[in-house]
Amino acid sequence: MEKIQAAIAKARATRDGVVSPLSTIVDPAPTVNIPTTGASDAVDTAWSNLTPYTPDMAALERSRIVTLAGGRAASPFDVMRTKLLQQMRANNWRRLAITSPSAACGKSMITLNLGFSLARQTDIRTIVAELDLRRPSLGKTLGVTQPHSFARVLAGEASLAENALRHSHNLMLATNQSSSRNPAELLNGAGVPSILTRIEATYAPDLIIFDMPPMLVSDDAMAFIGQVDCVLLVAAAEATTIKEIDACERELASQTNVMGIVLNKCRYMGPEYGYSYYG
């Protein structure tokens, strides 16, 4: 773990004029005046009109989605949740993208675990939206059977209310049943900024998490990344290289704020990274 952290730090240090990503603030996505959560009857009604979603906890746990009920397994994601919220509130950020250098790094698993972790914080409203349009997976993981398409929402062809589910009172899940044609063109569409602003005005989320495509397999992620305030990069231990992390971090930092790198799929973490409090 320490060797990987040191290698990433060394790669950053070799760049001209680059500082720590958590202290680098570029122009965030356009802000919109949104009412405080719970302050608007219209917002409450918009949320209550969404189709309820009841998770199958056993099925989710088989996909390593472990944050529904909290506890020891959820604690690393809860820590990540708290750090994210602190940083985003400090900078007045609302839109978070989660991506990875390549496929199979676990970004979608981390996205859903963060979403359900945030749902347990009852005063926060969160939208999880799927933008990995070539290989959508969130709906299958969640067991969604409706023909939902967040891609059609971004294209201005359908309403979000008809293409999203609500877990509890404060987590919206917007997925895609099937892949989309020409995803980069869709994600870079001229109408996307206004659609995102309309979603924020209607549902007043405290946080929108976008499950993005991998960075190095297409230009899909870079077509959209300028619409978010910040991004997390997920790397897979023993698979993602330092060169890949450095290249992705460099590209992301040119358009948005890189909050940090999540190292996933570690075979062993020392006791200093444990949560023995839970016994």
Side-chain angles (χ1 to χ4, degrees):
M1 180 75 170
E2 287 78 9
K3 291 181 179 178
I4 295 173
Q5 291 172 332
I8 293 171
K10 182 178 179 180
R12 289 175 182 158
T14 61
R15 302 182 203 153
D16 294 333
V18 173
V19 297
S20 170
L22 287 181
S23 63
T24 303
I25 302 176
V26 300
D27 290 337
T31 58
V32 59
N33 292 325
I34 296 175
T36 305
T37 299
S40 168
D41 290 340
V43 170
D44 292 339
T45 300
W47 277 85
S48 64
N49 286 340
L50 294 169
T51 302
Y53 165 73
T54 302
D56 182 334
M57 185 175 293
L60 289 181
E61 287 181 350
R62 287 194 292 271
S63 296
R64 299 193 176 108
I65 312 303
V66 296
T67 53
L68 277 168
R72 182 173 183 175
S75 59
F77 299 102
D78 292 346
V79 171
M80 190 187 308
R81 170 199 66 190
T82 299
K83 290 182 176 180
L84 283 172
L85 285 174
Q86 289 172 344
Q87 187 74 12
M88 294 185 76
R89 284 168 172 166
N91 291 287
N92 196 29
W93 293 339
R94 193 182 307 275
R95 303 176 187 175
L96 167 68
I98 299 182
T99 186
S100 59
S102 58
C105 290
K107 64 176 180 57
S108 297
M109 178 272 293
I110 288 173
T111 297
L112 287 178
N113 272 306
L114 276 176
F116 286 114
S117 178
L118 285 159
R120 300 197 335 265
Q121 196 143 345
T122 58
D123 60 335
I124 292 175
R125 279 180 169 141
T126 304
I127 297 175
V128 170
E130 182 172 43
L131 290 184
D132 193 347
L133 304 182
R134 295 179 191 267
R135 297 181 62 182
S137 63
L138 297 191
K140 182 178 180 181
T141 300
L142 295 167
V144 176
T145 57
Q146 297 92 328
H148 287 173
S149 174
F150 186 64
R152 293 188 66 230
V153 175
L154 281 187
E157 299 171 353
S159 71
L160 182 58
E162 297 172 343
N163 289 273
L165 300 174
R166 171 178 51 80
H167 168 61
S168 187
H169 68 285
N170 62 338
L171 175 62
M172 184 193 303
L173 301 161
T175 62
N176 297 281
Q177 186 183 57
S178 59
S179 59
S180 301
R181 296 181 62 184
N182 304 317
E185 290 78 3
L186 171 61
L187 294 173
N188 199 33
V192 168
S194 62
I195 290 171
L196 294 177
T197 298
R198 193 179 313 133
I199 289 171
E200 289 177 324
T202 303
Y203 295 97
D206 299 279
L207 182 65
I208 306 179
I209 304 177
F210 296 100
D211 180 36
M212 300 299 302
M215 289 280 297
L216 301 180
V217 299
S218 70
D219 62 336
D220 296 359
M222 293 309 294
F224 183 84
I225 211 71
Q227 301 297 331
V228 305
D229 301 309
C230 51
V231 62
L232 277 181
L233 183 64
V234 178
E238 301 182 22
T240 307
T241 67
I242 299 301
K243 184 178 180 180
E244 289 173 333
I245 293 173
D246 184 50
C248 291
E249 192 177 20
R250 187 192 304 269
E251 286 294 324
L252 291 167
S254 71
Q255 291 201 52
T256 190
N257 300 288
V258 182
M259 293 189 74
I261 298 167
V262 177
L263 185 63
N264 193 31
K265 299 187 177 182
C266 295
R267 292 188 179 183
Y268 172 76
M269 298 291 283
E272 66 271 23
Y273 297 102
Y275 293 88
S276 57
Y277 173 86
Y278 287 95

